Amino acid sequence: MSPATGDGGDFMARRSEATHAKAGLPELKNVLIVEDEGVDARRMTAVLRIVLGRDVELRLAPSLDKAIDAVIQSNPDVVFLDDYLKPNDSALQTIPLVRRAGYDGPIIVVSGEVDRPRRIELRKAGAIEIIHKDDVDSVNVSETLIRAFVPRDK
């Protein structure tokens, strides 16, 4: 079976490439996860433990208010931001508020709705990367972090 037919070869090849490319990442010690759904928060936490190891401090903020408090308290190296927070906060409104709180690092939006127009809106609002919630696994998160931190060849 070839990788295109689903034997996992493509995933393993991407995993290997991501592992080698992670060497170019800065040391991430403090990560903020802004997520109001417990299952999604636990999944992101587990994946980030796999990708970044046990020494990284992973902080969870289940609301916009808690996210701003977390940014003010300890400026994170990267923020993973849920696209839609209850009751009605969207990343389009949340990103500028996080920036006004003093955070100038990368914001990676995690969304259940990732189409081209939404990606464009989120990037204009200040997201450096966007990842679909269904794609949260060690390979995709590694690749997303690499795109967020490692300069691209032009």
Side-chain angles (χ1 to χ4, degrees), residues 20-147:
H20 291 296
K22 278 193 317 186
L25 283 177
E27 188 173 7
L28 302 176
K29 293 270 190 192
N30 183 343
V31 176
L32 177 61
I33 302 166
V34 184
E35 174 61 68
D36 58 357
E37 294 292 334
V39 171
D40 292 332
R42 286 188 298 276
R43 180 177 179 193
M44 181 59 77
T45 299
V47 168
L48 286 169
R49 287 270 178 237
I50 292 167
V51 172
L52 300 175
R54 293 265 172 215
D55 294 335
V56 66
E57 179 182 1
L58 299 177
R59 294 181 297 143
L60 178 62
S63 67
L64 175 58
D65 291 343
K66 300 263 189 220
I68 291 172
D69 288 346
V71 165
I72 292 169
Q73 177 188 8
S74 175
N75 202 18
D77 297 319
V78 62
V79 172
F80 283 86
L81 175 65
D82 184 9
D83 194 0
Y84 294 101
L85 296 170
K86 293 174 188 160
N88 56 6
D89 291 317
S90 160
L92 297 176
Q93 294 85 35
T94 305
I95 292 170
L97 296 173
V98 171
R99 295 289 187 209
R100 274 188 233 129
Y103 180 71
D104 64 353
I107 296 175
I108 298 170
V109 173
V110 183
S111 178
E113 300 177 19
V114 182
D115 57 15
R116 186 180 172 114
R118 186 68 178 168
R119 282 183 186 274
I120 291 168
E121 289 178 325
L122 290 167
R123 289 196 188 210
K124 284 182 182 177
I128 189 108
E129 283 294 330
I130 300 95
I131 186 170
H132 195 283
K133 283 189 177 197
D134 292 342
D135 294 334
V136 173
D137 63 35
S138 60
V139 171
N140 287 316
V141 170
S142 292
E143 290 172 344
T144 300
L145 285 167
I146 291 162
R147 286 191 305 272

